[in-house]
Amino acid sequence: MGKTIIEKILSQKSGGDAYAGQIVVADVDYVMGQDGTAPLAIKSFREMGGTKVFDPEKVVFVIDHSAPSPNEGVSRLHKLMREFRDEYGIDFHDIGDGVCHQVVPESGKVGPGSLVVGADSHTCTYGALNAFATGVGSTDLAAAIISGKLWFKVPETIKFVLKGKLPKGVFAKDLILYLIGDVTADGATYMAAEYTGEAISNLSMDGRFTISNMAIEMGAKAGLMEADEKTFAFVKEHGGRDFTPVFADPDAVYAKVLEYDVSELEPMVAKPHTVDNTAKVTEVAGTPIHQAVLGTCTNGRLEDLRIAAKILEGRKIHPKTRLIVAPASRKIFLKAMEEGFIKIFVEAGAAVVTPGCGPCVGTHNGIPSDGENVISTANRNFKGRMGNSNAFIYLASPATVAASAIAGEIADPRPYF
């Protein structure tokens, strides 16, 4: 019987013959914690009697969720992480380096066939690199830091066959919002999503990361893609070692195979307060917007900034709207400066903040007020997500966010293309 991508990776890493539904213990290739989860993992590490890290070059901590620190409590947690780094010599990304889900792919440590666990639910982002990457809790992270192994229940897989080409003004974010709206927020719970087809092949790596990043928003444990020339070019550009790609067998068994033609897709928006509460932008156009956010681990990459800059160049944001821009990494920030995007944003009236998670998680950098509407390129719009349970968050593509920031209300970006 043939195997899916995730069954093959878990077979290789466990040294067995893994199929959906089985429990395996597998070797992990890279382990990641961020400042919202690593302190708890350090506590668990101590409680488990940890005295060494299984491989310092395969463990990384990233300070990104509250960076720079907004208060003394967070500063203590950051200090704890730095002390762990100094004690064990692990990889480390401090304030301003960027979002974990951008700096990890940039590090070259992850690639086709890798098995990665991270104490952050959007670790599934690296599935765009043909890796099995998934989020775990801080206790599991501690166990992986000590042993280099973790147990997994092999997930079933839903195969998404995405045909056709995206129309002008429609992007990867619109596609994944549409899929989540169709499958629903729990339609793929504890499954792996395999994304394939012409629409995926045509996407840049930046676009592919957006798709895999939001697999968790349909309940999926991973969001995987097959490797191609674009994948290998990305890995090579970032100094990665040689990786062995993993392809699904033609006779692999899937829980479902869902086919879509994306050629007529329109810009999409996720309405408050769930990601699967989706609508076409034309159905919510005119909704007043008080704050717009461009960035996060979903859409803070160079392509995203380029799309927004194209719309904002020579224009001003609406006088009653705030625009916050958070590049996904220091490298992206520098490239955006070189290409003139940062100048465009600042001249348009935006506030550009430190590379990192920005206001997404709600600890700093732009917490909305009661009753305010926010349109964001982030991946979640749950009640209270950005730090105020009385605010309303809409999710959209960088193009829709930029167009809405100019209009002061949710706006269709297609007239700009």
Side-chain angles (χ1 to χ4, degrees):
M1 187 169 65
K3 293 183 179 181
T4 62
I5 294 175
I6 203 164
E7 288 172 335
K8 282 192 171 183
I9 292 176
L10 285 173
S11 293
Q12 292 169 4
K13 301 302 178 181
S14 67
D17 198 20
Y19 285 96
Q22 295 178 346
I23 303 292
V24 300
V25 176
D27 295 329
V28 297
D29 295 305
Y30 209 50
V31 180
M32 186 276 296
Q34 39 89 342
D35 49 327
T37 57
L40 290 171
I42 293 170
K43 180 175 181 288
S44 295
F45 178 92
R46 307 290 188 201
E47 291 173 348
M48 291 177 185
T51 57
K52 66 177 182 176
V53 169
F54 84 100
D55 187 338
E57 293 186 357
K58 293 184 178 182
V59 178
V60 64
F61 284 172
V62 184
I63 295 179
D64 61 354
H65 277 55
S66 301
S69 171
N71 59 59
E72 61 181 289
V74 170
S75 294
R76 282 193 289 271
L77 299 178
H78 289 178
K79 182 182 179 184
L80 180 69
M81 293 172 66
R82 295 181 184 114
E83 290 172 344
F84 192 90
R85 169 203 62 192
D86 295 342
E87 184 175 357
Y88 294 103
I90 63 171
D91 290 349
F92 200 86
H93 293 278
D94 216 315
I95 62 170
D97 279 359
V99 185
C100 54
H101 304 313
Q102 181 61 24
V103 298
V104 168
E106 285 179 351
S107 72
K109 295 288 186 81
V110 176
S114 297
L115 197 167
V116 185
V117 294
D120 186 285
S121 57
H122 293 104
T123 302
C124 53
T125 304
Y126 323 145
L129 291 172
N130 188 229
F132 170 36
T134 193
V136 298
S138 294
T139 305
D140 281 333
L141 191 79
I145 290 171
I146 293 170
S147 68
K149 300 177 182 291
L150 210 57
W151 71 271
F152 300 89
K153 180 180 179 182
V154 184
E156 292 183 297
T157 299
I158 298 180
K159 185 175 184 178
F160 291 85
V161 182
L162 304 167
K163 302 175 180 178
K165 294 181 65 176
L166 292 172
K168 286 187 177 181
V170 179
F171 301 93
K173 182 61 161 289
D174 301 301
L175 174 54
I176 191 61
L177 287 177
Y178 177 82
L179 294 178
I180 293 167
D182 187 58
V183 175
T184 74
D186 60 359
T189 298
Y190 209 92
M191 294 182 176
E194 267 186 32
Y195 303 106
T196 187
E198 180 188 1
I200 297 298
S201 299
N202 288 335
L203 288 176
S204 66
M205 285 308 304
D206 285 359
R208 295 179 190 184
F209 282 127
T210 297
I211 299 289
S212 291
N213 174 269
M214 294 191 68
I216 184 65
E217 306 310 332
M218 59 176 69
K221 192 168 182 66
L224 300 115
M225 298 176 184
E226 292 189 341
D228 63 9
E229 291 181 0
K230 293 179 182 178
T231 317
F232 296 125
F234 179 93
V235 172
K236 184 178 180 180
E237 178 189 351
H238 294 92
R241 58 179 175 79
D242 290 334
F243 293 91
T244 303
V246 179
F247 299 94
D249 290 325
D251 58 341
V253 176
Y254 294 93
K256 293 179 185 177
V257 178
L258 303 177
E259 297 188 7
Y260 300 84
D261 186 339
V262 308
S263 56
E264 299 297 325
L265 190 66
E266 297 183 38
M268 301 294 295
V269 173
K271 301 180 291 183
H273 293 283
T274 58
V275 183
D276 60 354
N277 186 21
T278 56
K280 296 176 182 177
V281 69
T282 50
E283 297 172 352
V284 290
T287 303
I289 291 297
H290 305 96
Q291 179 168 297
V293 177
L294 172 65
T296 79
C297 62
T298 313
N299 284 118
R301 298 179 179 85
L302 193 64
E303 180 179 81
D304 304 312
L305 302 185
R306 182 180 292 116
I307 290 166
K310 177 181 179 180
I311 294 173
L312 288 162
E313 186 170 15
R315 299 181 173 93
K316 299 286 186 181
I317 63 173
H318 192 276
K320 293 186 177 180
T321 302
R322 310 177 297 277
L323 173 61
I324 299 169
V325 180
S329 74
R330 190 186 303 275
K331 290 181 179 179
I332 289 171
F333 195 9
L334 288 169
K335 289 180 181 178
M337 289 174 66
E338 290 169 5
E339 296 194 28
F341 303 155
I342 301 302
K343 184 173 185 288
I344 290 170
F345 298 146
V346 173
E347 289 181 344
V352 181
V353 301
T354 305
C357 296
C360 176
V361 75
T363 59
H364 67 157
N365 275 342
I367 297 170
S369 187
D370 291 354
E372 288 194 323
N373 294 329
V374 179
I375 190 162
S376 172
T377 60
N379 45 40
R380 286 187 174 152
N381 62 344
F382 307 147
K383 197 174 182 65
R385 170 68 180 180
M386 289 183 64
N388 186 343
S389 60
N390 295 315
F392 301 86
I393 305 169
Y394 296 79
L395 305 179
S397 74
T400 301
V401 167
S404 302
I406 293 168
E409 59 187 29
I410 297 179
D412 191 330
R414 287 175 291 186
Y416 294 97
F417 295 92

